[in-house]
Amino acid sequence: MVFSKKPLQFIIAALVAFFPLISIANPTGDSTHVAVEATHEVASKSHEAHGETANLSEEQKADLERKAYIKHHLMDSHDFTLFTYGGEEHPTHVGFPLPVILWDGGLHVFSSSKFEHGEAVAESNGNYYKINHHDGLVYKTDADGNFTEDAKGHVTNAKPIDFSITKNIFMILVVGLILFMVFAGLGKSYKKNGSIAKGAGRFFEPIILYIRDDIAIPNIGEKHYKKYMSFLLTIFFFIWFLNMFGLTPLGVNITGNLAITASLALITYLITTFTAKKDYWGHIFWMPGVPVPMKFILAPIELLGTIIKPFSLMIRLYANMVAGHIVLMSLIALMYTFNSPIGSPLSFFLAFVLSLLEILVALLQAYIFTMLAALYFGAAVEEHHHDEHHEAAHH
Amino acid sequence: MEELFGQFSIGLFIMQTILFVGLIFLLKKFAWKPILDAVNEREEGIKNALLSAENAKKEMQNLKSDNEKLLAEARLERDAMIKEAREIKEKMVNDAKTEAQVAGQKMIEQAKASIESEKNAAMAELKAQVSTLSLDIAEKLLKDELSNKEAQTKLVEKMLGDVKLN
């Protein structure tokens, strides 16, 4: 192992490994504070969980808190919080604020520290904005930060378009930078070392070759695969790296965000649609080799299929990552729920095993997304030679 | 579904799309293109090296078979030459033999002919001598006879006795 040779790195790795224990332990550890929560009931009217806590036992309160924590973790955030301590009453967030960029009839740019972690109303150029606790989105409010809700409990406030550098965008930029450094470095190393990879990027060369030889070429074909390679390689490493970051105690859940996976799926769909050859559309609108009435029935089904395919890509990645995060965090939370020398280590062991599984899932989901994208591209550029085949058979 | 799409942020969606497309183009220019080009080039190099090695092997084999062919040809030629030489030798020996025989025969015949002619010559000479001698005797006899009858008789007798002795 390289780590053991470098004590500093080892210490940092160990420190990072202990982050989740701190960040999760504190709010629940200070569950005694919840007893005084009743006094805050009025102030936090919008926070459902708080309103109901008055009639619940301490254990139930702690459970609700854990649930809220998990839910909060799955959402995007406008500031980067590494961990929080001090309980609900005087929470101290350790992290840094990120810029908020809103489009609401004009550009509003301010620091997310104005929100005070969702507690305060932020004022910008005469408009007032507040983060809703339930969906983590920014809404336009009045000066007091009141939300209006309809009968179903949906917030009816106006929603500005939020181009903020949120936690997710920040991590995407970080991962983009890492990808750029690693692979641009790998690209340069070939020239310097006479076509032999060197440096950290070396580890990824077999993976690049695997994507080319076992994903792109068999699915797309030798003739067309080259123009899709950039997309396939980028999406594979992008998803994989983000998934891996999701497993670190940084607490980011990027590939488990529907907006992110929807964007990836949309790009896949657009590439498939705009690079599709005549045969692809022929197979959708006028399926060859079936009776004419069937052609009319198949056309809408096939057309719908082109949208369902990327839609399934979006849901698959989103659901897998969210499920992984929820299960993993629930198991970690179980340690505190059990609160016994037998149950807690057992729960820890389970969480540990599941973490290992999640590492596999992180890679697997990246592979599946890339594989299926390649498959769809392959269908788009596939060249059918029905007539030629038939003629050849007759001769 | 409600829960699912409730948290959907349009801004995040747009930002992610822009960032991701930007990342694709950036990585394409600075990473994927040089990497794939280098890898392809390397693979091409390996393929070429293997091909040239195969070609060299084939050439070697060709050379070897050529050599063997040459060797076989040389061997054949040698065999043919040996055979020819043997034939020539035999022919020469035979020729010499027949020539010698012919020459010997000729010499024998010549010898025979010369012997015959010598014999004839000798016989002719003998005949001439006998006739001369006979004539001499006859002359002498006649001379004695003519002079002395007794002596003539004696002489004839004596001469006859000589002839008998011969």
Side-chain angles (χ1 to χ4, degrees), chain A residues 62-265:
Chain A
D63 261 353
L64 275 177
E65 206 175 310
R66 281 173 209 135
K67 253 181 220 165
Y69 188 91
I70 293 170
K71 199 181 155 199
H72 180 72
H73 161 85
L74 293 175
M75 288 193 297
D76 199 0
S77 149
H78 282 80
D79 47 344
F80 206 110
T81 311
L82 288 171
F83 54 89
T84 306
Y85 62 90
E88 288 259 334
E89 205 179 355
H90 310 289
T92 307
H93 302 279
V94 177
F96 48 91
L98 294 163
V100 176
I101 307 160
L102 300 176
W103 180 260
D104 185 22
L107 206 59
H108 299 272
V109 182
F110 52 92
S111 166
S112 73
S113 55
K114 271 193 179 181
F115 285 128
E116 289 173 20
H117 303 279
E119 302 297 329
V121 182
E123 186 270 330
S124 172
N125 300 336
N127 288 336
Y128 296 95
Y129 300 101
K130 194 169 193 301
I131 296 170
N132 186 286
H133 280 283
H134 297 296
D135 52 16
L137 299 181
V138 175
Y139 288 94
K140 198 174 176 180
T141 61
D142 53 16
D144 296 327
N146 289 323
F147 288 106
T148 48
E149 293 179 357
D150 62 10
K152 281 182 187 170
H154 298 142
V155 181
T156 53
N157 290 42
K159 233 196 289 187
I161 301 175
D162 187 358
F163 293 115
S164 309
I165 308 298
T166 58
K167 196 175 178 179
N168 282 359
I169 293 289
F170 179 76
M171 281 316 292
I172 287 168
L173 288 171
V174 168
V175 166
L177 195 70
I178 292 172
L179 284 177
F180 184 77
M181 304 266 268
V182 168
F183 291 108
L186 177 64
K188 262 188 213 158
S189 75
Y190 283 107
K191 270 185 200 146
K192 280 185 206 155
N193 297 293
S195 288
I196 290 164
K198 211 176 180 185
R202 198 177 186 173
F203 172 72
F204 297 106
E205 195 203 274
I207 302 174
I208 293 172
L209 291 181
Y210 178 81
I211 292 171
R212 188 192 64 176
D213 297 337
D214 290 285
I215 296 180
I217 292 176
N219 287 314
I220 303 171
E222 196 87 49
K223 203 171 149 195
H224 299 289
Y225 84 95
K226 274 192 179 132
K227 62 181 168 186
Y228 297 110
M229 277 311 284
S230 295
F231 174 78
L232 293 175
L233 287 169
T234 310
I235 205 156
F236 177 82
F237 288 109
F238 185 76
I239 295 176
W240 187 28
F241 278 40
L242 284 181
N243 286 351
M244 291 308 283
F245 267 106
L247 292 175
T248 62
L250 292 171
V252 287
N253 176 37
I254 303 159
T255 39
N257 189 306
L258 207 60
I260 306 291
T261 60
S263 162
L264 297 179

Side-chain angles (χ1 to χ4, degrees), chain A residues 76 154 162-163 169 172 183 186 190 195 205 209 212 230-231 233-234 238 257-259 262-264 267 318, chain B residues 2 4-6 8 11-13 15-17 19-20 23-24 27-28 30-32 35 38-40 42-43:
Chain A
D76 199 0
H154 298 142
D162 187 358
F163 293 115
I169 293 289
I172 287 168
F183 291 108
L186 177 64
Y190 283 107
S195 288
E205 195 203 274
L209 291 181
R212 188 192 64 176
S230 295
F231 174 78
L233 287 169
T234 310
F238 185 76
N257 189 306
L258 207 60
S263 162
L264 297 179
I267 293 166
Y318 165 78
Chain B
E2 202 68 58
L4 206 66
F5 293 105
F8 195 91
L12 180 62
F13 176 76
M15 286 290 277
Q16 150 71 7
T17 310
L19 286 177
F20 188 71
L23 189 66
I24 291 176
L27 284 180
K28 182 181 183 175
F30 291 102
W32 306 138
I35 290 172
V39 167
N40 278 343
R42 196 177 61 194
E43 277 170 3

